[in-house]
């Protein structure tokens, strides 16, 4: 059972939607637009940025977070820092993080900064959801 997407951030050119898949125990964060500091810091406080992905009550912690980056043509180091910060928080809670739909410019940033080794990078959200459920 999936919940309807909830928009958790809307900047001038960038949005993040959050959708829970209760049956799979996952949360999908769908990013859309360039993920850059200009958009982040003009619309959210630093505290809000740190906690943007945290909205699950303690008894409903998902087992996996999927970052759907299909519609992100590029990101800067601030966007990357937000993803890595969330990865660290997920790791401390036993939550797996998967990135899906990574575009070439974003992948180049991941490779340059050695982030591509931190979490699985899967071609699509459907594949990431299948990987989560242990399907081929």
């Amino acid at each position: 059972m999936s919940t309807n997407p909830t928009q958790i951030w809307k900047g001038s050119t960038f949005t993040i939607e959050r959708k829970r898949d209760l049956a799979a125990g996952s949360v999908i964060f769908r990013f859309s637009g360039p993920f850059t500091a200009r958009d982040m810091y003009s619309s959210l406080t630093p505290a809000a940025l740190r906690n943007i992905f945290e909205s699950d009550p303690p008894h409903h912690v998902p087992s996996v977070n999927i970052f759907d980056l299909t519609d992100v043509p590029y990101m800067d180091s601030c966007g990357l820092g937000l993803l890595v910060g969330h990865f660290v928080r997920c790791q401390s809670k036993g939550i797996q993080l998967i990135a899906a739909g990574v575009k070439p410019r974003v992948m180049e940033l991941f490779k340059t900064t050695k982030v591509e080794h931190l979490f699985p990078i899967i071609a699509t959200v459907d594949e990431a959801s299948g990987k989560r459920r242990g399907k081929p």
Side-chain angles (χ1 to χ4, degrees), residues 28-81:
I28 300 169
F29 294 96
R30 184 177 176 275
F31 296 71
S32 181
F35 195 16
T36 63
R38 180 185 62 81
D39 201 37
M40 278 187 262
Y41 291 111
S42 67
S43 58
L44 291 174
T45 66
L49 276 172
R50 275 191 304 279
N51 298 317
I52 195 163
F53 302 113
E54 307 294 325
S55 63
D56 291 301
H59 58 286
H60 287 288
V61 176
S63 57
V64 67
N65 281 186
I66 300 170
F67 283 162
D68 179 0
L69 302 174
T70 305
D71 294 326
V72 177
Y74 60 90
M75 73 174 63
D76 65 10
S77 61
C78 288
L80 179 66

Side-chain angles (χ1 to χ4, degrees), residues 31 33 67-75 99-111 121-124:
F31 296 71
F67 283 162
D68 179 0
L69 302 174
T70 305
D71 294 326
V72 177
Y74 60 90
M75 73 174 63
V102 178
K103 298 288 189 218
R105 280 182 71 182
V106 175
M107 181 57 85
E108 190 60 38
L109 178 63
F110 283 6
K111 287 180 179 180
I121 298 172
I122 308 298
T124 67

